[in-house]
Amino acid sequence: MTRWVMRTAPDEVTAQPTGVREWSGGADLQGSLRGLGMNWDFRAEALPSALAGTDAVALQPISSGHRPLAGKRVKRTLMLRVRPGTPEDVVARFEAELAAMPELIHTIHSWALGGADPTIPGASTAWTHVFEQEFTDLDGLTGEYLLHPYHWTRVDRWFDGENPASIVEPGPAHLIRWAQGAVLR
Amino acid sequence: MTADPVQRVHIRDHVVLPGAAVDEWLTGWRTDYLPAARERGLRLTQWWRSYAGPDTVAVDMLWEIEGIYTFYRARTMAGADASVARFWARTDELAVHRDRRVLEPYPLEPGMLEPDRPASADHASSAAEPQRRKS
């Protein structure tokens, strides 16, 4: 069953659609960028008709890690688009450098890097990748995650439009919300 | 918010240009790039010119900015400023090579350069520690 992430306006989705599992969502927290008001996670074979027209991304797993965390946590979802025409070996290096972040940044608990599958009917074609993490609290994200030198001396160049090494198009969506339990299993 | 552990973030720009184009590029850089860069909090601390070949010249610029959060804020501001993208697009049409590195200060401590002192490798050692299961 495919995992999906989705961003919507606050009143766009009012109930869990039929045929959807592991449904959870929450309001975008302050510090989110390009959120629409709410962000969601769920599993479904296909996009339910009730969610047609939303920005819902069907995920193809690339890599992930599981680190158990009890109770409430901060769920962070980064939707991004790699520039068309970027060589495959460069994209692979980008993916490997993102996947190495949890090895170095210890406030990251469970995480997942996925590719967007645009072939599923209704799935968003706006993004190519989604990078997700869970944190104990907001400080884990705004503190060690942002401040670790691996982040800003190395990984950030993929996103920095001033850097000739950048491959991520401007305007990724950085969504953060509270989740009552595990989202990344 | 966590206290910023780094007082100065350094950014090094390395641009290799045809020698005949360097002066004009620098004029454009002064008028089209530098003022807004200063508004973003970047301070140019040093710059160098060197021959990269018989007919190419490298320009190296070292910037500093106060702290990591300010660095991210400057990045966001640059990303929202179309004139920045235009400037680098023009540069990349002209440049033979370009690179940007963001550098973490590595303060010199007494005795650090003595030959018998073991190298500090905090980041490298933490990178080598297995932290979690990958699936």
Side-chain angles (χ1 to χ4, degrees):
Chain A
M1 194 171 257
T2 302
R3 270 200 68 232
W4 298 72
V5 294
M6 177 175 70
R7 58 178 187 157
T8 69
D11 55 356
E12 199 171 352
V13 176
T14 54
Q16 178 173 346
T18 307
V20 163
R21 289 171 46 192
E22 297 178 24
W23 173 259
S24 73
D28 297 338
L29 296 176
Q30 189 174 6
S32 296
L33 287 173
R34 300 177 191 89
L36 303 176
M38 298 283 289
N39 69 91
W40 306 84
D41 296 81
F42 58 93
R43 287 183 187 271
E45 295 291 358
L47 189 67
S49 57
L51 303 179
T54 62
D55 189 18
V57 186
L59 299 173
Q60 295 174 316
I62 296 173
S63 55
S64 63
H66 180 68
R67 185 177 170 204
L69 175 64
K72 196 175 172 183
R73 78 272 327 268
V74 168
K75 165 77 196 317
R76 189 269 187 134
T77 304
L78 180 70
M79 301 172 169
L80 63 96
R81 181 172 184 80
V82 168
R83 197 173 299 131
T86 303
E88 282 183 18
D89 62 322
V90 176
V91 176
R93 206 158 64 240
F94 165 66
E95 292 170 350
E97 289 192 6
L98 289 183
M101 292 181 83
E103 299 287 345
L104 292 159
I105 302 172
H106 301 145
T107 56
I108 299 174
H109 283 256
S110 294
W111 61 278
L113 175 63
D117 184 350
T119 64
I120 296 181
S124 174
T125 57
W127 315 103
T128 60
H129 291 74
V130 175
F131 190 33
E132 304 167 88
Q133 303 102 20
E134 293 180 359
F135 298 89
T136 305
D137 52 31
L138 273 175
D139 198 47
L141 173 63
T142 61
E144 184 177 336
Y145 180 79
L146 287 181
L147 296 174
H148 196 287
Y150 180 63
H151 194 164
W152 53 274
T153 68
R154 184 68 188 173
V155 173
D156 190 70
R157 78 192 196 288
W158 300 109
F159 297 83
D160 178 2
E162 292 199 75
N163 195 316
S166 71
I167 64 169
V168 176
E169 289 191 339
H174 158 69
L175 312 174
I176 46 179
R177 69 175 175 87
W178 284 107
Q180 294 306 313
V183 176
L184 304 170
R185 300 161 203 264
Chain B
M1 186 175 281
T2 304
D4 199 322
V6 173
Q7 290 186 335
R8 298 277 187 279
V9 169
H10 290 88
I11 299 169
R12 195 212 66 180
D13 279 324
H14 176 70
V15 186
V16 180
L17 297 151
V22 171
D23 287 341
E24 187 178 341
W25 180 81
L26 280 171
T27 299
W29 173 84
R30 272 191 293 263
T31 56
D32 299 340
Y33 185 82
L34 182 61
R38 285 177 169 154
E39 287 176 13
R40 293 193 295 273
L42 288 155
R43 288 185 301 273
L44 187 71
T45 59
Q46 294 187 71
W47 61 343
W48 301 266
R49 290 169 67 138
S50 57
Y51 276 94
D55 54 3
T56 53
V57 169
V59 178
D60 284 90
M61 297 171 170
L62 187 66
W63 305 87
E64 67 176 23
I65 191 163
E66 281 187 25
I68 303 164
Y69 291 120
T70 310
F71 162 75
Y72 283 120
R73 191 159 53 246
R75 277 257 292 95
T76 303
M77 290 170 70
D81 184 346
S83 74
V84 175
R86 279 198 302 272
F87 172 79
W88 288 120
R90 283 199 308 272
T91 297
D92 289 337
E93 284 175 8
L94 193 63
V96 177
H97 175 70
R98 184 165 75 85
D99 182 38
R100 166 172 283 206
R101 300 289 298 274
V102 179
L103 307 168
E104 179 188 17
Y106 195 19
L108 278 174
E109 296 167 7
M112 186 178 270
L113 301 182
E114 297 304 317
D116 58 346
R117 180 182 169 117
S120 169
D122 291 347
H123 298 143
S125 62
S126 65
E129 292 167 7
Q131 295 298 327
R132 58 204 61 164
R133 173 179 65 80
K134 280 188 187 177
S135 54

